[in-house]
Amino acid sequence: MLRVQGISFSYPSLGQEPREILKNVSFSAMPHEIISIMGPNGAGKTTLLKLLNGRISPTQGTIFLEECSLVDLPSREKAKMIAYVGQDPMKGTFPELSIEENLVIGMNRGEKLTLRPALTEKKRSEFQALFDQFSLPFLGRLKEPVGILSGGQRQILSLLMASLAPCKILILDEPTAALDSAATTKALEILAYLCRHRSMIVFMVTHDHRLADQISSRVLMLQEGCLVRDQKKKI
Amino acid sequence: MVRFICVISSLFFSITAQAAKENSNHPKVIAVTQIISHPSLDKIRRGIVDSLRDSGFEEGKNLTIVFDNAQGSVATATQIAHKFRGISPDVAVGIATPSAQALASVFQGTSTPVVFAAVTDPKTAGLAPDHLEGKVLITGTTDFPPVDQQIALIRKMCPERRRIGVLYSVGEINAKKQVQSLKNLLKPGETLIEIPIQSSAEILFALRHHLPLVDVIHIPLDNMIVANLPSVVHVAHAHKVPVFTSHPEGVLEVGALGTVGIDQYQSGYETGKLVSQILQGVSVKKIPVLFLKKAETHINRKIAKNFGARLPENTGECP
Amino acid sequence: MTFFQFLGTCEIAFLYMFVGLGVFLTFRVLCFPDLTVDGTFTLGAALSAYVTLMHDAPFSSLAIAFIGGMVMGALTAFLHFRFKIVPLMAGIIVMTALYSLNMRVMGGPNVSILGHDSIFSFLERQGFSAFETKLGVLFLFLAGVFMLLYGFLKTMTGLALRAIGNNQEAARYQGVPVERLTLLGVGLSNGLVALGGALFLQTQGFADVNMGLGTVIMGLAALTIGEILMPQSVLFLGLFSAVAGTLLYRCFVAAALNIKFLGLSPSDLNLITAFLVILSFAYKHKVSRARGVSC
């Protein structure tokens, strides 16, 4: 259960009035909700994501996740609870590491680091099962470096990485913006599966109204830093 | 495939590259290693070669000299020592402490004698023969400056100048020991002020800071400071402070008041005598480490007059 | 070169392989250009000398040297994170401080253990020749350290380390403790280099305050030689090429000592070394890098 109460965020600027990016935004969210965050450029969507991610702290207001204040959580706990998939497929994965190594890192998100071997046969078979399930073309290519994959494939890999370890919040920043239609379909397939089978809150920033309609259960509309509309979809 | 061939041929090439044997028929071979090119060290080497020639061992006629310069790298000095062991010279000579130490380390357990030069403190460097307990046949010359004669000269020439500032570099192995020895020789009423320097860039700054606190500057055997002698003298004289050094040559033209030092060429010459003794068959164990004592005193009369200093008798001539 | 010279080359190559592995860890795996090693190599030798002379414990001195190196490496990383000092600068700062620190530990600019017991004395007393002992023991140490390092890079922690070098931002999102792990990585690298320095002291019998000068450049040159000449398909080969490159570099030095008529001399080696390092930066993409290393 996520409670966002009266958060504002402003960038301090020397000698002038601080620039207010977000003004007094409040809402709550429950697991299994898929929430699209929409609005024109500069409305404050990215900042809201960063706040939900725990990257930055609000200048006013509070964010409570399961009765814990988000800003007070140590970074490892935060990583455990919150998964993030960014807009740029190139930035979300590790190009010089192999596919299986990337997946292992995702699987270990927020866990304490040990001296156990990173890759085991058990993990490999899990990955293969995952590829089977979604009919992904990574079968048998586990050891290849991620750098040779296309942007679409890397974004799908990011989604898989986010899915391997359970999380309370999944944040997606325009996940299909850089993808072609085939990749988009695949990405949405994985996303839909995740939403059905995991008890988590999904936040998705998108400009694509069709996508928002297709997949989300609720839309938060931002304009000039204010939350102007909070609409639950009638199914 | 191409890479594999490259690797193998590089390895093969480097392994089979043989030391060029210039004149392998000569009965005597000496191998000389020097840590770095430096006027003092180069002088020592020339002294050794000339001394050998004067003893009858002439390069090209009945003597082969293999020479390698480590260009300041201790790792290279070690590889040079290994190369020398491979060619089994009659005598291995190490000029300056790290080169000598590399030789001592590599020639342990062999019958090749090692001779060191330009090592001011063989004991601390681990090169003293009794310390090595016969593991290495070693001897050499040490050129610890005649500190007693130096301070005596200062006392004779400028008795009223009692605060002695010693300008030295911390990276110089010999310097600290000389400073310590000077301290031990102080008489009541005299004080020693240390002016340690880490790099040549600091010299003038440190000098300006300390000059008001001293009456006379003394420079021990220290290559870095002496390389900057002209500026040191310039600044010191501006504060009306005379400068004494431990290096025999060149100081008088530059403006030092006096110096008591062991000539580096002479030091090399004496080392060469040890080497020729060994080549002539004398056992290394019978050749003790030679502490060079014969020092030369030079003074600059003109500067002495400027400072109102007394002129001691029996000193070398100067402008 | 003579057989003896070759053995000597191997001996010094084994010592500098520790440097090669350390430089590989910072420059290739972590992408943290670390210059501290010029000071840490000497520190290892200095600490080993101190413990050997004062406490007659040559084997323990190796451990002390390793720990000393780790602390200094971690300090460099700490300076970078805490005060936002660029890695190159942080390394230079620590290396400069180490110059003075090393002299304190050594009690002067030079120290010697010739005549004292070293880590090889026990075996030498059993009748093995000095050379056999040194090469054998050094090789065992090297092999052990190599396998441990490789094993470590294959663990979860090692993988996280490699992730940091590859994409620090993404690593952060995955909950990798970037600051702490970088401290560990740079610390480990300098620990290895210090261990090399300590073994140098034990093998050669002496240490000099200036012996560390140029260590990082030599390490990078060795890495470059390895990368040019060896296939780099997996991480293991990457590590191995660091080691092989060191051996080849030392062979070139030995060859340069021999072939005067080609005009090569040790002073030219610095030029060649610098050229190799330029090559490695200029042709980053062409010179093949080991799979799984980041820069």
Side-chain angles (χ1 to χ4, degrees):
Chain A
M1 187 21 210
L2 180 73
R3 264 184 309 136
V4 175
Q5 285 174 319
I7 49 169
S8 305
F9 187 82
S10 18
Y11 280 113
S13 33
L14 287 165
Q16 292 168 323
E17 281 291 306
R19 272 191 65 223
E20 269 207 294
I21 310 290
L22 283 180
K23 301 171 192 157
N24 204 2
V25 174
S26 300
F27 60 90
S28 305
M30 300 292 287
H32 290 290
E33 286 199 70
I34 307 173
I35 304 171
S36 287
I37 301 176
M38 307 184 74
N41 287 336
K45 304 190 295 294
T46 315
T47 310
L48 181 60
L49 280 193
K50 282 195 193 155
L51 285 165
L52 290 171
N53 218 343
R55 290 277 118 206
I56 53 179
S57 305
T59 29
Q60 268 179 326
T62 52
I63 305 178
F64 277 95
L65 179 63
E66 311 261 325
E67 313 309 318
C68 295
S69 165
L70 204 63
V71 297
D72 295 331
L73 281 176
S75 18
R76 198 159 58 79
E77 284 299 314
K78 261 193 266 203
K80 219 176 185 170
M81 301 223 238
I82 306 169
Y84 173 82
V85 176
Q87 196 175 357
D88 188 349
M90 303 307 174
K91 289 206 186 134
T93 50
F94 304 96
E96 300 292 334
L97 301 180
S98 67
I99 295 178
E100 55 182 5
E101 283 170 338
N102 271 263
L103 289 169
V104 165
I105 293 173
M107 199 184 228
N108 234 64
R109 192 189 68 238
E111 295 294 327
K112 257 185 119 157
L113 291 171
T114 62
L115 286 175
R116 298 236 174 86
L119 284 159
T120 56
E121 277 313 306
K122 185 162 156 250
K123 288 186 190 165
R124 284 201 182 100
S125 39
E126 263 187 68
F127 300 152
Q128 295 287 34
L130 207 58
F131 298 156
D132 271 334
Q133 186 177 358
F134 296 109
S135 324
L136 292 169
F138 299 144
L139 272 165
R141 294 171 66 185
L142 276 177
K143 291 205 204 287
E144 282 176 32
V146 161
I148 64 174
L149 296 179
S150 70
Q153 287 174 320
R154 284 171 80 159
Q155 192 72 318
I156 290 173
L157 189 63
S158 298
L159 272 172
L160 287 176
M161 280 165 71
S163 72
L164 281 165
C167 57
K168 300 233 159 63
I169 307 181
L170 174 62
I171 300 180
L172 308 162
D173 190 352
E174 301 196 52
T176 56
L179 305 187
D180 65 16
S181 52
T184 307
T185 319
K186 201 45 100 174
L188 292 178
E189 189 192 317
I190 299 172
L191 200 55
Y193 175 85
L194 286 178
C195 296
R196 267 200 307 278
H197 290 91
R198 296 274 172 84
S199 163
M200 60 185 180
I201 307 169
V202 179
F203 285 100
M204 183 168 64
V205 163
T206 181
H207 286 287
D208 189 345
H209 287 268
R210 253 185 335 144
L211 179 64
D213 274 338
Q214 197 181 339
I215 197 162
S216 45
S217 62
R218 185 171 158 193
V219 171
L220 291 176
M221 191 67 129
L222 284 176
Q223 200 164 347
E224 285 178 15
C226 300
L227 182 64
V228 297
R229 199 164 18 126
D230 181 353
Q231 191 171 20
K232 286 204 168 53
K233 220 172 74 167
K234 291 170 191 78
I235 303 151
Chain B
M1 194 56 203
V2 176
R3 282 187 186 189
F4 184 71
I5 294 175
C6 282
V7 175
I8 297 300
S9 43
S10 331
L11 208 55
F12 182 73
F13 170 71
S14 42
I15 290 176
T16 54
Q18 279 292 353
K21 293 201 165 128
E22 291 105 16
N23 294 291
S24 39
N25 308 323
H26 293 157
K28 297 294 179 192
V29 178
I30 68 164
V32 181
T33 166
Q34 187 172 318
I35 188 69
I36 194 170
S37 287
H38 189 282
S40 308
L41 303 179
D42 295 339
K43 275 206 189 89
I44 291 175
R45 192 178 82 247
R46 263 184 283 132
I48 296 175
V49 172
D50 289 349
S51 167
L52 283 168
R53 191 193 52 225
D54 293 347
S55 312
F57 293 100
E58 192 159 345
E59 190 178 0
K61 291 220 178 107
N62 54 357
L63 177 71
T64 305
I65 302 180
V66 177
F67 172 68
D68 270 314
N69 189 320
Q71 295 298 338
S73 161
V74 171
T76 309
T78 315
Q79 286 195 256
I80 292 174
H82 282 117
K83 169 189 165 183
F84 283 4
R85 183 155 165 186
I87 60 179
S88 291
D90 294 288
V91 180
V93 180
I95 302 179
T97 311
S99 292
Q101 286 172 319
L103 286 179
S105 171
V106 165
F107 281 98
Q108 273 182 75
T110 66
S111 57
T112 309
V114 173
V115 176
F116 56 78
V119 172
T120 301
D121 190 359
K123 218 177 186 172
T124 320
L127 297 170
D130 36 314
H131 175 73
L132 288 170
E133 287 164 33
K135 281 189 201 159
V136 190
L137 291 167
I138 191 165
T139 184
T141 59
T142 81
D143 54 0
F144 198 82
V147 190
D148 47 349
Q149 295 179 48
Q150 286 170 337
I151 201 168
L153 183 68
I154 297 177
R155 285 189 192 126
K156 225 185 258 179
M157 292 189 77
C158 314
E160 70 288 355
R161 293 180 185 267
R162 307 251 189 88
R163 296 178 303 174
I164 306 173
V166 183
L167 184 66
Y168 69 99
S169 54
V170 293
E172 180 81 37
I173 303 162
N174 322 319
K176 195 77 192 191
K177 269 248 138 155
Q178 293 175 64
V179 175
Q180 198 53 46
S181 305
L182 270 170
K183 264 204 202 137
N184 296 340
L185 290 168
L186 288 177
K187 289 204 182 125
E190 289 171 343
T191 46
L192 192 97
I193 292 118
E194 290 186 39
I195 312 175
I197 303 288
Q198 196 152 324
S199 79
S200 41
E202 298 166 33
I203 293 178
L204 292 185
F205 180 75
L207 261 183
R208 289 206 178 94
H209 177 77
H210 283 96
L211 277 168
L213 309 167
V214 304
D215 301 318
V216 60
I217 292 277
H218 175 73
I219 300 177
L221 197 69
D222 188 318
N223 296 317
M224 198 224 277
I225 309 285
V226 150
N228 290 280
L229 195 56
S231 7
V232 171
V233 166
H234 184 80
V235 176
H237 283 187
H239 280 79
K240 310 260 192 291
V241 174
V243 178
F244 284 83
T245 74
S246 315
H247 290 249
E249 60 291 302
V251 293
L252 303 174
E253 291 93 67
V254 174
L257 176 47
T259 176
V260 188
I262 298 172
D263 181 26
Q264 302 291 39
Y265 176 83
Q266 205 48 42
S267 156
Y269 200 86
E270 295 297 322
T271 314
K273 280 197 197 157
L274 294 185
V275 176
S276 55
Q277 278 182 50
I278 298 172
L279 287 176
Q280 281 159 9
V282 179
S283 160
V284 179
K285 296 202 180 119
K286 296 219 175 83
I287 307 178
V289 171
L290 184 61
F291 287 80
L292 294 165
K293 280 281 179 232
K294 185 161 158 253
E296 298 181 349
T297 307
H298 296 267
I299 59 167
N300 185 324
R301 285 176 191 258
K302 192 163 125 225
I303 308 256
K305 218 191 278 180
N306 290 348
F307 278 102
R310 272 178 238 164
L311 298 177
E313 312 82 34
N314 311 326
T315 55
E317 275 313 303
C318 38
Chain C
M1 59 179 97
T2 60
F3 180 65
F4 204 92
Q5 194 178 8
F6 180 65
L7 286 184
T9 307
C10 287
E11 185 182 290
I12 195 137
F14 285 164
L15 293 169
Y16 276 89
M17 282 174 193
F18 290 91
V19 172
L21 290 174
V23 173
F24 184 84
L25 191 56
T26 41
F27 276 83
R28 296 283 181 262
V29 175
L30 268 173
C31 291
F32 189 100
D34 178 35
L35 260 50
T36 322
V37 296
D38 272 21
T40 347
F41 188 71
T42 315
L43 178 70
L47 285 171
S48 182
Y50 182 81
V51 175
T52 307
L53 288 173
M54 295 293 160
H55 302 277
D56 230 338
F59 280 100
S60 314
S61 78
L62 298 179
I64 307 268
F66 183 82
I67 293 170
M70 278 208 77
V71 168
M72 286 300 149
L75 177 64
T76 302
F78 176 77
L79 287 178
H80 164 59
F81 285 117
R82 181 76 167 80
F83 301 110
K84 306 275 184 279
I85 303 176
V86 165
L88 222 59
M89 205 60 227
I92 292 174
I93 292 171
V94 177
M95 168 182 78
T96 309
L98 275 173
Y99 188 84
S100 310
L101 186 67
N102 290 337
M103 277 211 279
R104 273 205 169 259
V105 174
M106 291 196 286
N110 182 293
V111 73
S112 165
I113 65 164
L114 287 167
H116 276 263
D117 266 4
S118 70
I119 59 176
F120 308 106
S121 304
F122 173 69
L123 282 170
E124 279 170 7
R125 277 195 279 269
Q126 309 288 35
F128 293 101
S129 84
F131 243 138
E132 284 169 16
T133 327
K134 286 183 182 164
L135 284 176
V137 171
L138 284 177
F139 181 75
L140 284 173
F141 263 109
L142 186 68
V145 164
F146 184 93
M147 293 317 297
L148 279 172
L149 184 63
Y150 179 65
F152 171 72
L153 287 175
K154 285 288 179 182
T155 62
M156 209 50 234
T157 312
L159 181 60
L161 214 74
R162 290 162 56 206
I164 293 175
N166 200 198
N167 190 341
Q168 209 188 83
E169 197 56 28
R172 245 183 249 273
Y173 278 123
Q174 298 295 339
V176 171
V178 170
E179 283 81 13
R180 254 188 299 144
L181 267 193
T182 309
L183 253 76
L184 175 71
V186 182
L188 190 61
S189 156
N190 280 275
L192 286 173
V193 171
L195 182 62
L199 287 169
F200 183 99
L201 183 275
Q202 295 290 327
T203 314
Q204 306 302 333
F206 71 96
D208 190 275
V209 74
N210 295 312
M211 69 195 271
L213 277 171
T215 305
V216 71
I217 298 286
M218 278 195 262
L220 286 174
L223 288 188
T224 310
I225 294 176
E227 283 157 6
I228 291 175
L229 294 173
M230 278 193 62
Q232 304 266 298
S233 45
V234 287
L235 182 66
F236 182 88
L237 283 177
L239 277 174
F240 189 78
S241 72
V243 153
T246 311
L247 179 62
L248 269 167
Y249 180 75
R250 287 291 149 203
C251 285
F252 289 154
V253 173
L257 287 172
N258 291 343
I259 321 177
K260 293 278 167 60
F261 67 83
L262 264 188
L264 270 180
S265 78
S267 52
D268 296 325
L269 270 170
N270 278 3
L271 191 62
I272 297 171
T273 308
F275 176 71
L276 281 170
V277 177
I278 294 174
L279 207 70
S280 80
F281 283 109
Y283 290 98
K284 260 201 234 203
H285 37 278
K286 291 236 176 98
V287 171
S288 78
R289 294 302 159 85
R291 265 313 168 70
V293 305
S294 325
C295 35

